[in-house]
Amino acid sequence: MHFDSLSDFFAMGGHAFYVWWSYGITFVLLITLTVVSVIKRKSLLTQIAQQHEHEKKLKQMRKDKKKNES
Amino acid sequence: MWKWLHPYAKPERSYQLASTLLPWFAISSVILLTIGVVWGLAFAPSEAYQKEYYRIIYIHVPAATLSMSVYMAMATAVLISMVWQLKLADATAAALAPVGATLTTIALITGAIWGAPSWGTSWVWDARLTSYLILLFLYLGVIALNNAFDDKALASRAAGILTLVGVVNIPIIKYSVEWWNTLHQTATISKFDSPSMSTEMLWPLLINITGFAFMIGTLTLIRFKNEVLARNSMRPWVIELATKEGIK
């Protein structure tokens, strides 16, 4: 390892602020994009399923209505 | 010769291929980024002038270079969609835009943080930084246009036109450091005949660039699958998938 100790590593030669903020922000942004993308799938599938249910119900209602009229 | 490709024009087939590739891309990116980041942060030697804070290079350079590659990939997808009217190309372009925007944001933020100790300023309105900021605005414009219409085909066409117009910005970013005086240094690693970086520093950088590339692949595949589902929501296979996984 390049650093003598773990505290030396975290100190980054007195530039800890710059190094760790850079890596931290990058990590947070990438994790956020990943989580948002994965959640999107769930909400999309739910939405598609609900729409399908809705259309099925409408079709059934139309069929029932026709039956009652005749 | 290219006939084996034809079945993949079917959304369902491409969706399945994306699902198969996804875990391999994800695993590769996690492994490569772990090695690259640990190597870059803890094992690479320190730099003569910048001492330890040069280590920002291991995320700044991969994010910056690949954000431009993602833009070119997006423009290629748009071109394919316009020439061959392939709907999956639209889905690819729409999937790439948020990934590219995130990379551009990362490069801008890490660049600003890096600029503070090395240049004494976080931002200057010079050619490289300004043209690169425009790249972020192009990405945001493409994302906004993709979401501006309920009709996905219309949205993709509008976003596609902006994408193609914005391609002119890519060579401007790339050569801005040579055409104009700027605080930003010229390319460090692309000149392999005379690399201006020691190999102990170069290796973790190359590993991280590869790791970032696989991560971009992973995120694009996840988003591509979403786009395919959204664009084929009336198809039986999507409805079947939705009723199986959706309501619970």
PDB file of all heavy atoms in Angstrom, chain A residues 4 6-7 11 17-20 23-26 34 40-41 43-44 46-47 49-51 55-58 60 67:
ATOM      1  N   ASP A   4       1.131   4.790   4.855  1.00  0.00           N
ATOM      2  CA  ASP A   4       1.745   4.100   5.978  1.00  0.00           C
ATOM      3  C   ASP A   4       0.708   3.501   6.926  1.00  0.00           C
ATOM      4  O   ASP A   4       0.922   2.456   7.520  1.00  0.00           O
ATOM      5  CB  ASP A   4       2.642   5.068   6.764  1.00  0.00           C
ATOM      6  CG  ASP A   4       3.793   5.568   5.897  1.00  0.00           C
ATOM      7  OD1 ASP A   4       4.257   4.766   5.054  1.00  0.00           O
ATOM      8  OD2 ASP A   4       4.198   6.740   6.046  1.00  0.00           O
ATOM      9  N   LEU A   6      -3.829   3.488   8.127  1.00  0.00           N
ATOM     10  CA  LEU A   6      -5.194   3.709   7.674  1.00  0.00           C
ATOM     11  C   LEU A   6      -5.591   5.184   7.848  1.00  0.00           C
ATOM     12  O   LEU A   6      -6.259   5.771   6.997  1.00  0.00           O
ATOM     13  CB  LEU A   6      -6.152   2.805   8.459  1.00  0.00           C
ATOM     14  CG  LEU A   6      -7.421   2.400   7.693  1.00  0.00           C
ATOM     15  CD1 LEU A   6      -7.075   1.601   6.449  1.00  0.00           C
ATOM     16  CD2 LEU A   6      -8.368   1.602   8.593  1.00  0.00           C
ATOM     17  N   SER A   7      -5.133   5.778   8.951  1.00  0.00           N
ATOM     18  CA  SER A   7      -5.479   7.195   9.173  1.00  0.00           C
ATOM     19  C   SER A   7      -4.772   8.078   8.145  1.00  0.00           C
ATOM     20  O   SER A   7      -5.296   9.091   7.701  1.00  0.00           O
ATOM     21  CB  SER A   7      -5.110   7.615  10.598  1.00  0.00           C
ATOM     22  OG  SER A   7      -3.739   7.405  10.827  1.00  0.00           O
ATOM     23  N   ALA A  11      -6.560  10.565   5.514  1.00  0.00           N
ATOM     24  CA  ALA A  11      -6.150  11.971   5.492  1.00  0.00           C
ATOM     25  C   ALA A  11      -5.786  12.438   4.084  1.00  0.00           C
ATOM     26  O   ALA A  11      -5.884  13.626   3.767  1.00  0.00           O
ATOM     27  CB  ALA A  11      -4.970  12.176   6.426  1.00  0.00           C
ATOM     28  N   PHE A  17     -10.616  16.346   1.992  1.00  0.00           N
ATOM     29  CA  PHE A  17     -11.844  17.011   1.569  1.00  0.00           C
ATOM     30  C   PHE A  17     -12.102  16.807   0.079  1.00  0.00           C
ATOM     31  O   PHE A  17     -13.172  16.357  -0.329  1.00  0.00           O
ATOM     32  CB  PHE A  17     -11.743  18.505   1.890  1.00  0.00           C
ATOM     33  CG  PHE A  17     -12.916  19.315   1.426  1.00  0.00           C
ATOM     34  CD1 PHE A  17     -14.063  19.423   2.195  1.00  0.00           C
ATOM     35  CD2 PHE A  17     -12.877  19.980   0.194  1.00  0.00           C
ATOM     36  CE1 PHE A  17     -15.141  20.176   1.766  1.00  0.00           C
ATOM     37  CE2 PHE A  17     -13.955  20.728  -0.239  1.00  0.00           C
ATOM     38  CZ  PHE A  17     -15.085  20.823   0.543  1.00  0.00           C
ATOM     39  N   TYR A  18     -11.132  17.107  -0.765  1.00  0.00           N
ATOM     40  CA  TYR A  18     -11.304  17.033  -2.227  1.00  0.00           C
ATOM     41  C   TYR A  18     -11.510  15.600  -2.697  1.00  0.00           C
ATOM     42  O   TYR A  18     -12.408  15.315  -3.487  1.00  0.00           O
ATOM     43  CB  TYR A  18     -10.091  17.643  -2.922  1.00  0.00           C
ATOM     44  CG  TYR A  18      -9.819  19.058  -2.499  1.00  0.00           C
ATOM     45  CD1 TYR A  18      -8.721  19.364  -1.688  1.00  0.00           C
ATOM     46  CD2 TYR A  18     -10.671  20.088  -2.875  1.00  0.00           C
ATOM     47  CE1 TYR A  18      -8.483  20.667  -1.288  1.00  0.00           C
ATOM     48  CE2 TYR A  18     -10.442  21.387  -2.485  1.00  0.00           C
ATOM     49  CZ  TYR A  18      -9.347  21.674  -1.684  1.00  0.00           C
ATOM     50  OH  TYR A  18      -9.123  22.954  -1.286  1.00  0.00           O
ATOM     51  N   VAL A  19     -10.642  14.711  -2.215  1.00  0.00           N
ATOM     52  CA  VAL A  19     -10.695  13.328  -2.690  1.00  0.00           C
ATOM     53  C   VAL A  19     -12.005  12.659  -2.275  1.00  0.00           C
ATOM     54  O   VAL A  19     -12.722  12.099  -3.112  1.00  0.00           O
ATOM     55  CB  VAL A  19      -9.489  12.530  -2.169  1.00  0.00           C
ATOM     56  CG1 VAL A  19      -9.594  11.065  -2.574  1.00  0.00           C
ATOM     57  CG2 VAL A  19      -8.198  13.132  -2.699  1.00  0.00           C
ATOM     58  N   TRP A  20     -12.340  12.750  -0.990  1.00  0.00           N
ATOM     59  CA  TRP A  20     -13.507  11.981  -0.522  1.00  0.00           C
ATOM     60  C   TRP A  20     -14.823  12.563  -0.998  1.00  0.00           C
ATOM     61  O   TRP A  20     -15.775  11.822  -1.237  1.00  0.00           O
ATOM     62  CB  TRP A  20     -13.471  11.822   0.997  1.00  0.00           C
ATOM     63  CG  TRP A  20     -12.282  11.004   1.429  1.00  0.00           C
ATOM     64  CD1 TRP A  20     -11.255  11.402   2.226  1.00  0.00           C
ATOM     65  CD2 TRP A  20     -11.968   9.668   1.020  1.00  0.00           C
ATOM     66  NE1 TRP A  20     -10.318  10.399   2.340  1.00  0.00           N
ATOM     67  CE2 TRP A  20     -10.725   9.327   1.606  1.00  0.00           C
ATOM     68  CE3 TRP A  20     -12.600   8.723   0.199  1.00  0.00           C
ATOM     69  CZ2 TRP A  20     -10.115   8.093   1.422  1.00  0.00           C
ATOM     70  CZ3 TRP A  20     -11.983   7.490   0.015  1.00  0.00           C
ATOM     71  CH2 TRP A  20     -10.765   7.186   0.621  1.00  0.00           C
ATOM     72  N   TYR A  23     -15.223  11.243  -4.645  1.00  0.00           N
ATOM     73  CA  TYR A  23     -15.633   9.837  -4.701  1.00  0.00           C
ATOM     74  C   TYR A  23     -17.034   9.656  -4.113  1.00  0.00           C
ATOM     75  O   TYR A  23     -17.835   8.874  -4.628  1.00  0.00           O
ATOM     76  CB  TYR A  23     -14.611   8.953  -3.976  1.00  0.00           C
ATOM     77  CG  TYR A  23     -13.426   8.613  -4.850  1.00  0.00           C
ATOM     78  CD1 TYR A  23     -12.404   9.538  -5.052  1.00  0.00           C
ATOM     79  CD2 TYR A  23     -13.352   7.393  -5.515  1.00  0.00           C
ATOM     80  CE1 TYR A  23     -11.326   9.246  -5.878  1.00  0.00           C
ATOM     81  CE2 TYR A  23     -12.273   7.097  -6.345  1.00  0.00           C
ATOM     82  CZ  TYR A  23     -11.265   8.020  -6.516  1.00  0.00           C
ATOM     83  OH  TYR A  23     -10.215   7.727  -7.344  1.00  0.00           O
ATOM     84  N   GLY A  24     -17.340  10.389  -3.039  1.00  0.00           N
ATOM     85  CA  GLY A  24     -18.643  10.266  -2.400  1.00  0.00           C
ATOM     86  C   GLY A  24     -19.781  10.694  -3.311  1.00  0.00           C
ATOM     87  O   GLY A  24     -20.766   9.965  -3.476  1.00  0.00           O
ATOM     88  N   ILE A  25     -19.629  11.870  -3.928  1.00  0.00           N
ATOM     89  CA  ILE A  25     -20.688  12.374  -4.813  1.00  0.00           C
ATOM     90  C   ILE A  25     -20.892  11.435  -5.995  1.00  0.00           C
ATOM     91  O   ILE A  25     -22.016  11.111  -6.378  1.00  0.00           O
ATOM     92  CB  ILE A  25     -20.359  13.812  -5.295  1.00  0.00           C
ATOM     93  CG1 ILE A  25     -20.454  14.792  -4.121  1.00  0.00           C
ATOM     94  CG2 ILE A  25     -21.283  14.243  -6.416  1.00  0.00           C
ATOM     95  CD1 ILE A  25     -19.933  16.182  -4.418  1.00  0.00           C
ATOM     96  N   THR A  26     -19.773  10.961  -6.569  1.00  0.00           N
ATOM     97  CA  THR A  26     -19.861  10.026  -7.690  1.00  0.00           C
ATOM     98  C   THR A  26     -20.643   8.783  -7.289  1.00  0.00           C
ATOM     99  O   THR A  26     -21.560   8.348  -8.001  1.00  0.00           O
ATOM    100  CB  THR A  26     -18.447   9.615  -8.153  1.00  0.00           C
ATOM    101  OG1 THR A  26     -17.725  10.790  -8.477  1.00  0.00           O
ATOM    102  CG2 THR A  26     -18.511   8.702  -9.350  1.00  0.00           C
ATOM    103  N   THR A  34     -29.027   3.996 -10.506  1.00  0.00           N
ATOM    104  CA  THR A  34     -29.331   2.566 -10.527  1.00  0.00           C
ATOM    105  C   THR A  34     -30.670   2.294  -9.853  1.00  0.00           C
ATOM    106  O   THR A  34     -31.531   1.601 -10.418  1.00  0.00           O
ATOM    107  CB  THR A  34     -28.222   1.779  -9.800  1.00  0.00           C
ATOM    108  OG1 THR A  34     -26.957   2.217 -10.277  1.00  0.00           O
ATOM    109  CG2 THR A  34     -28.361   0.291 -10.037  1.00  0.00           C
ATOM    110  N   LYS A  40     -38.202   2.038 -11.626  1.00  0.00           N
ATOM    111  CA  LYS A  40     -39.002   2.385 -12.806  1.00  0.00           C
ATOM    112  C   LYS A  40     -39.650   1.148 -13.417  1.00  0.00           C
ATOM    113  O   LYS A  40     -40.805   1.176 -13.842  1.00  0.00           O
ATOM    114  CB  LYS A  40     -38.095   3.074 -13.832  1.00  0.00           C
ATOM    115  CG  LYS A  40     -38.760   3.500 -15.118  1.00  0.00           C
ATOM    116  CD  LYS A  40     -39.464   4.832 -14.940  1.00  0.00           C
ATOM    117  CE  LYS A  40     -40.512   5.076 -15.996  1.00  0.00           C
ATOM    118  NZ  LYS A  40     -40.003   5.595 -17.240  1.00  0.00           N
ATOM    119  N   ARG A  41     -38.901   0.055 -13.424  1.00  0.00           N
ATOM    120  CA  ARG A  41     -39.404  -1.184 -13.995  1.00  0.00           C
ATOM    121  C   ARG A  41     -40.653  -1.657 -13.257  1.00  0.00           C
ATOM    122  O   ARG A  41     -41.663  -2.001 -13.856  1.00  0.00           O
ATOM    123  CB  ARG A  41     -38.311  -2.252 -13.923  1.00  0.00           C
ATOM    124  CG  ARG A  41     -38.740  -3.614 -14.367  1.00  0.00           C
ATOM    125  CD  ARG A  41     -37.703  -4.659 -13.986  1.00  0.00           C
ATOM    126  NE  ARG A  41     -38.277  -5.980 -14.012  1.00  0.00           N
ATOM    127  CZ  ARG A  41     -38.427  -6.691 -15.126  1.00  0.00           C
ATOM    128  NH1 ARG A  41     -37.999  -6.208 -16.263  1.00  0.00           N
ATOM    129  NH2 ARG A  41     -38.985  -7.884 -15.090  1.00  0.00           N
ATOM    130  N   SER A  43     -42.741   0.100 -11.362  1.00  0.00           N
ATOM    131  CA  SER A  43     -43.895   0.984 -11.536  1.00  0.00           C
ATOM    132  C   SER A  43     -44.482   0.838 -12.940  1.00  0.00           C
ATOM    133  O   SER A  43     -45.697   0.905 -13.125  1.00  0.00           O
ATOM    134  CB  SER A  43     -43.496   2.434 -11.251  1.00  0.00           C
ATOM    135  OG  SER A  43     -42.608   2.892 -12.221  1.00  0.00           O
ATOM    136  N   LEU A  44     -43.599   0.610 -13.931  1.00  0.00           N
ATOM    137  CA  LEU A  44     -44.065   0.416 -15.306  1.00  0.00           C
ATOM    138  C   LEU A  44     -44.937  -0.825 -15.407  1.00  0.00           C
ATOM    139  O   LEU A  44     -46.040  -0.783 -15.975  1.00  0.00           O
ATOM    140  CB  LEU A  44     -42.853   0.237 -16.215  1.00  0.00           C
ATOM    141  CG  LEU A  44     -42.531   1.342 -17.206  1.00  0.00           C
ATOM    142  CD1 LEU A  44     -41.232   1.037 -17.907  1.00  0.00           C
ATOM    143  CD2 LEU A  44     -43.642   1.528 -18.203  1.00  0.00           C
ATOM    144  N   THR A  46     -46.525  -2.421 -13.022  1.00  0.00           N
ATOM    145  CA  THR A  46     -47.772  -2.217 -12.289  1.00  0.00           C
ATOM    146  C   THR A  46     -48.767  -1.432 -13.126  1.00  0.00           C
ATOM    147  O   THR A  46     -49.940  -1.785 -13.239  1.00  0.00           O
ATOM    148  CB  THR A  46     -47.497  -1.458 -10.977  1.00  0.00           C
ATOM    149  OG1 THR A  46     -46.411  -2.092 -10.319  1.00  0.00           O
ATOM    150  CG2 THR A  46     -48.711  -1.459 -10.071  1.00  0.00           C
ATOM    151  N   GLN A  47     -48.256  -0.367 -13.739  1.00  0.00           N
ATOM    152  CA  GLN A  47     -49.104   0.494 -14.559  1.00  0.00           C
ATOM    153  C   GLN A  47     -49.701  -0.277 -15.738  1.00  0.00           C
ATOM    154  O   GLN A  47     -50.894  -0.161 -16.036  1.00  0.00           O
ATOM    155  CB  GLN A  47     -48.248   1.654 -15.056  1.00  0.00           C
ATOM    156  CG  GLN A  47     -49.011   2.825 -15.638  1.00  0.00           C
ATOM    157  CD  GLN A  47     -48.075   3.744 -16.405  1.00  0.00           C
ATOM    158  OE1 GLN A  47     -46.930   3.958 -15.985  1.00  0.00           O
ATOM    159  NE2 GLN A  47     -48.530   4.256 -17.517  1.00  0.00           N
ATOM    160  N   ALA A  49     -50.135  -3.526 -15.977  1.00  0.00           N
ATOM    161  CA  ALA A  49     -51.070  -4.524 -15.468  1.00  0.00           C
ATOM    162  C   ALA A  49     -52.411  -3.882 -15.110  1.00  0.00           C
ATOM    163  O   ALA A  49     -53.476  -4.418 -15.426  1.00  0.00           O
ATOM    164  CB  ALA A  49     -50.482  -5.222 -14.253  1.00  0.00           C
ATOM    165  N   GLN A  50     -52.356  -2.720 -14.463  1.00  0.00           N
ATOM    166  CA  GLN A  50     -53.588  -2.026 -14.070  1.00  0.00           C
ATOM    167  C   GLN A  50     -54.400  -1.628 -15.293  1.00  0.00           C
ATOM    168  O   GLN A  50     -55.618  -1.784 -15.331  1.00  0.00           O
ATOM    169  CB  GLN A  50     -53.258  -0.791 -13.236  1.00  0.00           C
ATOM    170  CG  GLN A  50     -53.051  -1.113 -11.773  1.00  0.00           C
ATOM    171  CD  GLN A  50     -52.443   0.038 -11.000  1.00  0.00           C
ATOM    172  OE1 GLN A  50     -52.070   1.049 -11.592  1.00  0.00           O
ATOM    173  NE2 GLN A  50     -52.327  -0.129  -9.698  1.00  0.00           N
ATOM    174  N   GLN A  51     -53.690  -1.132 -16.308  1.00  0.00           N
ATOM    175  CA  GLN A  51     -54.369  -0.711 -17.530  1.00  0.00           C
ATOM    176  C   GLN A  51     -55.054  -1.901 -18.192  1.00  0.00           C
ATOM    177  O   GLN A  51     -56.179  -1.799 -18.691  1.00  0.00           O
ATOM    178  CB  GLN A  51     -53.356  -0.069 -18.475  1.00  0.00           C
ATOM    179  CG  GLN A  51     -54.025   0.793 -19.524  1.00  0.00           C
ATOM    180  CD  GLN A  51     -53.012   1.383 -20.492  1.00  0.00           C
ATOM    181  OE1 GLN A  51     -51.818   1.417 -20.187  1.00  0.00           O
ATOM    182  NE2 GLN A  51     -53.469   1.812 -21.625  1.00  0.00           N
ATOM    183  N   GLU A  55     -59.013  -2.412 -18.906  1.00  0.00           N
ATOM    184  CA  GLU A  55     -59.578  -2.677 -20.232  1.00  0.00           C
ATOM    185  C   GLU A  55     -60.423  -3.946 -20.240  1.00  0.00           C
ATOM    186  O   GLU A  55     -61.451  -4.031 -20.924  1.00  0.00           O
ATOM    187  CB  GLU A  55     -58.453  -2.771 -21.271  1.00  0.00           C
ATOM    188  CG  GLU A  55     -58.226  -1.427 -21.949  1.00  0.00           C
ATOM    189  CD  GLU A  55     -56.837  -1.297 -22.506  1.00  0.00           C
ATOM    190  OE1 GLU A  55     -56.261  -2.328 -22.900  1.00  0.00           O
ATOM    191  OE2 GLU A  55     -56.319  -0.159 -22.537  1.00  0.00           O
ATOM    192  N   LYS A  56     -59.961  -4.931 -19.464  1.00  0.00           N
ATOM    193  CA  LYS A  56     -60.717  -6.181 -19.357  1.00  0.00           C
ATOM    194  C   LYS A  56     -62.105  -5.906 -18.774  1.00  0.00           C
ATOM    195  O   LYS A  56     -63.118  -6.441 -19.241  1.00  0.00           O
ATOM    196  CB  LYS A  56     -59.948  -7.173 -18.474  1.00  0.00           C
ATOM    197  CG  LYS A  56     -59.742  -8.488 -19.192  1.00  0.00           C
ATOM    198  CD  LYS A  56     -58.766  -9.454 -18.568  1.00  0.00           C
ATOM    199  CE  LYS A  56     -58.890  -9.753 -17.116  1.00  0.00           C
ATOM    200  NZ  LYS A  56     -57.829 -10.674 -16.639  1.00  0.00           N
ATOM    201  N   LYS A  57     -62.139  -5.078 -17.742  1.00  0.00           N
ATOM    202  CA  LYS A  57     -63.402  -4.739 -17.083  1.00  0.00           C
ATOM    203  C   LYS A  57     -64.335  -4.015 -18.053  1.00  0.00           C
ATOM    204  O   LYS A  57     -65.523  -4.324 -18.133  1.00  0.00           O
ATOM    205  CB  LYS A  57     -63.115  -3.845 -15.866  1.00  0.00           C
ATOM    206  CG  LYS A  57     -63.615  -4.458 -14.552  1.00  0.00           C
ATOM    207  CD  LYS A  57     -63.301  -3.557 -13.380  1.00  0.00           C
ATOM    208  CE  LYS A  57     -62.306  -4.213 -12.432  1.00  0.00           C
ATOM    209  NZ  LYS A  57     -61.703  -3.251 -11.515  1.00  0.00           N
ATOM    210  N   LEU A  58     -63.779  -3.063 -18.802  1.00  0.00           N
ATOM    211  CA  LEU A  58     -64.588  -2.308 -19.776  1.00  0.00           C
ATOM    212  C   LEU A  58     -65.204  -3.244 -20.805  1.00  0.00           C
ATOM    213  O   LEU A  58     -66.384  -3.128 -21.156  1.00  0.00           O
ATOM    214  CB  LEU A  58     -63.715  -1.264 -20.480  1.00  0.00           C
ATOM    215  CG  LEU A  58     -63.457   0.042 -19.740  1.00  0.00           C
ATOM    216  CD1 LEU A  58     -62.622   0.963 -20.621  1.00  0.00           C
ATOM    217  CD2 LEU A  58     -64.770   0.723 -19.370  1.00  0.00           C
ATOM    218  N   GLN A  60     -65.851  -6.412 -20.482  1.00  0.00           N
ATOM    219  CA  GLN A  60     -66.878  -7.214 -19.813  1.00  0.00           C
ATOM    220  C   GLN A  60     -68.175  -6.416 -19.671  1.00  0.00           C
ATOM    221  O   GLN A  60     -69.264  -6.915 -19.955  1.00  0.00           O
ATOM    222  CB  GLN A  60     -66.352  -7.642 -18.434  1.00  0.00           C
ATOM    223  CG  GLN A  60     -67.209  -8.689 -17.740  1.00  0.00           C
ATOM    224  CD  GLN A  60     -67.296  -9.977 -18.579  1.00  0.00           C
ATOM    225  OE1 GLN A  60     -66.288 -10.469 -19.089  1.00  0.00           O
ATOM    226  NE2 GLN A  60     -68.491 -10.506 -18.743  1.00  0.00           N
ATOM    227  N   LYS A  67     -75.914  -7.797 -23.761  1.00  0.00           N
ATOM    228  CA  LYS A  67     -76.763  -8.920 -23.369  1.00  0.00           C
ATOM    229  C   LYS A  67     -78.094  -8.417 -22.806  1.00  0.00           C
ATOM    230  O   LYS A  67     -79.159  -8.914 -23.143  1.00  0.00           O
ATOM    231  CB  LYS A  67     -76.024  -9.748 -22.321  1.00  0.00           C
ATOM    232  CG  LYS A  67     -76.005 -11.249 -22.657  1.00  0.00           C
ATOM    233  CD  LYS A  67     -75.371 -12.037 -21.544  1.00  0.00           C
ATOM    234  CE  LYS A  67     -74.158 -12.815 -22.047  1.00  0.00           C
ATOM    235  NZ  LYS A  67     -73.339 -13.279 -20.911  1.00  0.00           N
TER     236      LYS A  67
END
